[in-house]
Amino acid sequence: MDLTVSRALTIPAAELGWRFSRSSGPGGQHVNTSDSRVELVWSVADSLVLSEVQRALLLTRLEGRLVGGAITVTASEQRSQLRNRELALDKLARLVATGLAPDAPQRRPTKPTKGSGRRHLAAKQQRSATKRQRQRPPAE
């Protein structure tokens, strides 16, 4: 089952590694006997489908999640192993797509308008006057 990240990138099933274990949580007696927790491992460093630019981008952007050049995604939300496999595939696809997404355009710094500056000062003066009125009158 190949993983389609985008129209330009599809990770073949041969590059994906699966591990299954017993999941905690709901399921009653069934949870003690079935391996419904899913771990999906994909080696970014050894992948053949990535270009060098894509590989470098993913290695830098996802470096906090990588262990030995491989990314691991876990899913144990559902009782069924099949649903957890689908969830893990979806999580990995979103993670890779986010890592390969282009940077947002840099924000142009702007100055506040003259009107907003005046309104800001007027509000501060109003607040100051309110607080001044709360004080006790000076003793004469």
Side-chain angles (χ1 to χ4, degrees):
M1 188 155 104
D2 293 347
L3 175 62
T4 304
V5 177
S6 66
R7 280 187 276 139
L9 179 64
T10 302
I11 301 171
E15 290 190 7
L16 300 174
W18 296 95
R19 266 186 301 214
F20 307 102
S21 60
R22 295 204 172 107
S23 176
S24 62
Q29 295 171 345
H30 174 72
V31 80
N32 299 325
T33 59
S34 64
D35 293 340
S36 61
R37 181 174 181 264
V38 173
E39 283 185 32
L40 176 59
V41 182
W42 179 55
S43 178
V44 176
D46 301 331
S47 179
L48 300 174
V49 294
L50 294 174
S51 68
E52 289 304 317
V53 174
Q54 289 174 325
R55 185 182 334 279
L57 196 60
L58 283 176
L59 288 174
T60 55
R61 287 188 176 173
L62 301 177
E63 69 180 333
R65 291 202 55 145
L66 295 174
V67 177
I71 191 162
T72 304
V73 176
T74 316
S76 61
E77 292 87 17
Q78 303 293 325
R79 292 184 186 190
S80 160
Q81 186 188 100
L82 181 63
R83 284 199 214 119
N84 282 332
R85 286 176 82 139
E86 292 167 355
L87 278 173
L89 284 169
D90 187 48
K91 282 182 184 180
L92 181 64
R94 277 189 275 126
L95 200 61
V96 173
T98 308
L100 291 174
D103 290 330
Q106 197 168 9
R107 182 190 169 278
R108 276 188 7 199
T110 57
K111 289 170 39 175
T113 62
K114 288 181 182 179
S116 68
R118 277 193 229 109
R119 286 190 298 275
H120 178 67
L121 288 177
K124 286 179 72 158
Q125 288 170 353
Q126 178 68 38
R127 191 85 178 125
S128 174
T130 303
K131 290 189 173 199
R132 252 186 277 117
Q133 287 177 352
R134 290 182 191 153
Q135 293 177 357
R136 285 189 184 168
E140 289 185 37

